Amino acid sequence: MAWLTDAEAKAIRKTDIGPPHFGQFLPPVLKKNYGKWKYHERIDGGTMVHVGESGDKVFTVRVASPRILSTETIREMLDIADKHCDGYIRFTTRNNVEFMTPDEKKVDGLKKDLKAKGFAIGGIGPGISNMVHTQGWIHCHSACTDASGMVKAIMDELFPYFDGSKTLPAKTRLAMACCVNMCGAVHCSDIAVVAVHRKVPEINHDLLKNMCEIPTTIASCPTRAISPDPAKKSVKINAEKCMYCGNCFTVCPPIDIHNPENDGVAIVVGGKIGSLRTGPKFSKLAIPFLYNETPRWPKVVDAIKNILDVYAKNARKHERLGEWIERVGWERFFSLTGIEFTHQHIDDFTFMRDTMRTSAAFKY
Ligand code: SF4
Ligand code: SF4
């Protein structure tokens, strides 16, 4: 396997564009065995071992993270990595944190220190790993829901599937995005929550004429729903064309898309990234809308638990959620889960030809 040496990586990083080459940060045992791993095994819900062709072993302990981390928490993690893992630590794309060591004797001490600091160990094997999510109301301007709060409510309920005390037919990846810009991995997760606006934005014309560039605002709309309104020195929106994406709000804040009464979430299922057995899949719409019910989103939690329970009961061993649905058929998925099939499940978008393979909705 060809990859850059430290010197080569540094040589091509003479600008500040892009991240540094990951090769610079690999623990020595991973560098030595890069691309030459023989197999890996799950030891328990939060520990696994990789064995190289050279005979080297690497033990990994995985912990959950709340994604938005304080400096203090990161320092605690790094102290543990310094003590047990020669200072190396790894964040997965779903914000699990992995502590790796080639020394089996260090694993127990590592786990003890992680538990003592309150880190939850788990996420390896046929269960749920850290739920990747986005910023929510606290940090992002276009959020239609909270992210951290909802994920906490969901994972409190599903925690036995994280720590390995309960298992599923295969690994199950959960995601949450707080608007359709979708900074989370909603499109490629087994079960995912994506928050949606449902009303045409309201324009504050007085603010708009002072704050926004009209051509840029018009250009921001993907469906050309925005046009000039010269009498008001502002713009107007053709409600028929608006798809509530919130793009205009990003460019011009006086066009406000937030609507506390009508914002909420949809649930999509069946996506995956891996190409084991079947190719990667995009998620499809399961539940078009659930209202925001702060602070614990009980209907969202129940809906995810229901899908998970039905999947656990009906799928074959190693079958991902999307693979199970495709085997039994989407009609059967809806009847087994008791989820209503509605008009929102059908894609009637004008340009549906272009979205044929990528839309979350069904074609008829
Ligand atoms: Fe912001 Fe949307 Fe990303 Fe959430 S998903 S962080 S609201 S852009
Ligand atoms: Fe256009 Fe989206 Fe704004 Fe609607 S919400 S007017 S579709 S940019």
Side-chain angles (χ1 to χ4, degrees):
M1 170 69 79
W3 66 284
L4 301 177
T5 62
D6 284 0
E8 286 167 336
K10 275 180 192 145
I12 60 166
R13 298 291 177 226
K14 289 205 170 136
T15 71
D16 58 357
I17 299 167
H21 191 272
F22 66 89
Q24 294 172 58
F25 307 110
L26 286 178
V29 64
L30 293 196
K31 266 188 197 176
K32 184 181 158 200
N33 294 280
Y34 196 88
K36 294 181 214 144
W37 297 101
K38 209 161 150 192
Y39 66 93
H40 66 277
E41 270 176 355
R42 174 182 185 263
I43 297 170
D44 58 38
T47 322
M48 64 181 157
V49 59
H50 284 76
V51 181
E53 286 165 9
S54 64
D56 288 345
K57 290 184 177 177
V58 179
F59 295 85
T60 302
V61 179
R62 181 180 279 187
V63 302
S65 87
R67 185 178 180 277
I68 298 168
L69 294 165
S70 69
T71 314
E72 196 55 39
T73 308
I74 294 171
R75 282 191 199 287
E76 284 179 357
M77 288 174 173
L78 298 185
D79 285 345
I80 294 173
D82 278 340
K83 187 169 163 193
H84 299 283
C85 309
D86 303 319
Y88 290 93
I89 194 173
R90 171 176 181 265
F91 285 78
T92 73
T93 51
R94 288 178 194 263
N95 310 309
N96 299 278
V97 187
E98 291 189 343
F99 295 82
M100 286 168 285
T101 173
D103 185 352
E104 189 170 4
K105 290 199 279 304
K106 286 189 173 172
V107 174
D108 287 344
L110 168 62
K111 283 176 157 175
K112 200 168 149 233
D113 282 357
L114 286 168
K115 280 184 194 156
K117 286 289 177 192
F119 293 113
I121 299 174
I124 293 178
I128 291 170
S129 77
N130 215 52
M131 183 165 175
V132 61
H133 66 92
T134 52
Q135 332 291 344
W137 282 322
I138 305 176
H139 289 286
C140 190
H141 63 282
S142 48
C144 335
T145 188
D146 194 17
S148 309
M150 187 191 299
V151 168
K152 171 86 172 94
I154 294 168
M155 288 309 291
D156 278 351
E157 191 64 35
L158 303 182
F159 190 73
Y161 293 111
F162 176 82
D163 72 1
S165 45
K166 282 172 96 174
T167 56
L168 290 162
K171 70 176 180 182
T172 304
R173 296 296 175 248
L174 306 186
M176 195 275 148
C178 42
C179 87
V180 290
N181 278 340
M182 220 271 291
C183 307
V186 164
H187 63 299
C188 57
S189 294
D190 296 88
I191 306 177
V193 182
V194 56
V196 285
H197 296 294
R198 295 189 306 153
K199 295 288 168 190
V200 179
E202 286 180 15
I203 305 172
N204 182 327
H205 296 287
D206 284 339
L207 285 178
L208 188 143
K209 69 182 174 206
N210 294 319
M211 283 175 70
C212 307
E213 260 189 0
I214 290 189
T216 322
T217 307
I218 290 171
S220 73
C221 179
T223 61
R224 297 183 192 159
I226 303 178
S227 56
D229 187 346
K232 293 188 178 129
K233 295 194 174 157
S234 180
V235 297
K236 54 181 186 270
I237 295 174
N238 179 342
E240 286 294 305
K241 286 187 177 175
C242 178
M243 60 173 180
Y244 327 125
C245 67
N247 238 26
C248 50
F249 173 70
T250 304
V251 170
C252 175
I255 306 183
D256 193 1
I257 184 108
H258 297 102
N259 189 315
E261 302 291 309
N262 288 288
D263 290 347
V265 303
I267 294 180
V268 293
V269 298
K272 74 181 185 97
I273 299 173
S275 50
L276 194 64
R277 293 178 303 278
T278 54
K281 295 181 197 308
F282 281 122
S283 312
K284 290 256 177 226
L285 183 67
I287 300 178
F289 187 73
L290 292 166
Y291 282 100
N292 280 320
E293 290 175 311
T294 56
R296 298 290 292 176
W297 285 267
K299 290 206 180 76
V300 175
V301 176
D302 285 351
I304 292 179
K305 204 155 173 295
N306 172 42
I307 295 168
L308 212 54
D309 287 345
V310 175
Y311 160 63
K313 206 166 140 206
N314 291 281
R316 292 176 183 157
K317 198 172 175 191
H318 301 310
E319 204 167 40
R320 294 285 293 265
L321 196 137
E323 292 170 335
W324 162 64
I325 296 174
E326 285 186 1
R327 176 170 63 78
V328 299
W330 282 93
E331 291 86 347
R332 190 99 180 102
F333 166 77
F334 281 98
S335 65
L336 282 171
T337 54
I339 296 171
E340 191 188 352
F341 190 87
T342 65
H343 70 275
Q344 287 103 333
H345 287 98
I346 299 169
D347 187 355
D348 61 352
F349 182 49
T350 318
F351 303 115
M352 69 171 269
R353 217 170 235 276
D354 296 339
T355 61
M356 195 66 88
R357 290 187 195 285
T358 51
S359 160
F362 296 86
K363 324 285 179 215
Y364 279 86

